Amino acid sequence: MHSRSVVHGDLSGSNVLIHGNGRACIADFGLSTLITELGGSTFAICSQAGGTLRWAAPELLDIQASENGKQRPNVVPTPRSDIYSFGAIMLQVLTGRVPYYYYFREARVLHAISKGEFPKRPSQALVTDLQWAFIQRCWTPVDVGHSRPSDEDIVEFTRNELVKFVLPQS
């Protein structure tokens, strides 16, 4: 979808449906954003605020104080925010639990996110070190030197992981 200039903006475990043949399909494009370039600048031409808190990229949440008391500009989802959500979905798929499952109230989840807290690392029996490292790359804060994986990185990593399940290890 990113290659077609569409950002979902609300990726979560409940928005990934599994077809009868086992193929994952993305659903609920109600918060999606169409990105277009106009004169060398990128603009969101259709956007709505919202999202599912436990899967939402922190930069989409209005949890930081505005600078100089000015109103913060309207934040729109980006491919990078979808990548963050993919990491949370990956955690959910591998563990069978929603991100921050140990917090029952959304207010507590929001508080944790505002403090820069990411979901806790599950046991190695559920999530390998390689998988955990990739999930953490998906959660890289946008204001640091490193970037989140690209769509191509996700496809390659997922293919490599699936091969481990399809081909028996000898």
Side-chain angles (χ1 to χ4, degrees), residues 122-137:
S123 73
Q124 287 184 335
L126 295 174
V127 179
T128 67
D129 290 339
L130 184 64
Q131 292 165 339
W132 183 244
F134 192 81
I135 290 169
Q136 288 183 304
R137 278 189 58 209

Side-chain angles (χ1 to χ4, degrees), residues 82-146:
D82 279 352
I83 298 297
Y84 180 98
S85 299
F86 175 82
I89 291 169
M90 189 172 158
L91 178 66
Q92 182 180 2
V93 167
L94 293 171
T95 65
R97 294 181 166 172
V98 298
Y100 303 101
Y101 69 90
Y102 39 87
Y103 295 139
F104 299 108
R105 297 184 180 177
E106 296 297 297
R108 181 61 185 103
V109 173
L110 185 60
H111 178 74
I113 293 170
S114 73
K115 298 292 184 196
E117 180 184 319
F118 295 107
K120 294 177 184 174
R121 194 217 195 283
S123 73
Q124 287 184 335
L126 295 174
V127 179
T128 67
D129 290 339
L130 184 64
Q131 292 165 339
W132 183 244
F134 192 81
I135 290 169
Q136 288 183 304
R137 278 189 58 209
C138 292
W139 295 340
T140 301
V142 293
D143 57 349
V144 298
H146 307 290

